[in-house]
Amino acid sequence: MQKRALWPLWLLLGGVIYYLWVSATGIGIPCLWRMATGLKCPGCGITSALIALSRGQFGLAFSYNMGLWLLSPLLAGYLGYYALCRIRGWEPSPRIVSTGGALLLAALILWGIIRNLLCL
């Protein structure tokens, strides 16, 4: 197996270790954007949401970061396309990659604005 193919496993391992750490200590990575501005970034609440989800608290998980769940289909499609191309040895279409990335970025920025205007 190529070294490049192992990065998802390392990412998953890091996520599991972080989950165990936060579950045991309650200490997570602070949001630098929120510390500096007082506003929530598009990703604020993701750790809490994933921990609530792992405990079967679906409503609570949704309330921590609704944008995570609303944008999940778009993110899954984007990453799925990229992963399929890599697995099959195809070169991803630059147009699809750039358009998908731009859509995700725009959606995240919009979510960051909405969540702070509506205090979500």
Side-chain angles (χ1 to χ4, degrees):
M1 187 181 290
Q2 294 179 350
K3 287 183 181 182
R4 286 180 54 183
L6 293 176
W7 74 265
L9 297 176
W10 285 112
L11 188 62
L12 180 63
L13 179 62
V16 168
I17 291 170
Y18 180 64
Y19 166 78
L20 294 172
W21 169 262
V22 173
S23 294
T25 66
I27 301 170
I29 298 171
C31 177
L32 299 177
W33 177 261
R34 190 165 188 183
M35 288 171 55
T37 67
L39 299 172
K40 292 181 179 179
C41 76
C44 277
I46 288 178
T47 300
S48 299
L50 292 176
I51 289 173
L53 186 65
S54 73
R55 295 179 178 155
Q57 301 167 324
F58 300 106
L60 186 60
F62 185 76
S63 71
Y64 281 128
N65 190 323
M66 289 181 260
L68 171 69
W69 309 113
L70 298 175
L71 294 175
S72 289
L74 181 60
L75 181 61
Y78 182 75
L79 294 176
Y81 167 75
Y82 194 81
L84 179 65
C85 287
R86 291 299 178 197
I87 289 168
R88 300 248 172 141
W90 302 337
E91 189 63 33
S93 164
R95 186 174 188 187
I96 292 175
V97 171
S98 62
T99 303
L103 283 172
L104 278 169
L105 182 60
L108 286 171
I109 291 170
L110 183 62
W111 166 241
I113 293 168
I114 290 171
R115 81 180 307 184
N116 284 295
L117 288 176
L118 300 178
C119 299
L120 298 172

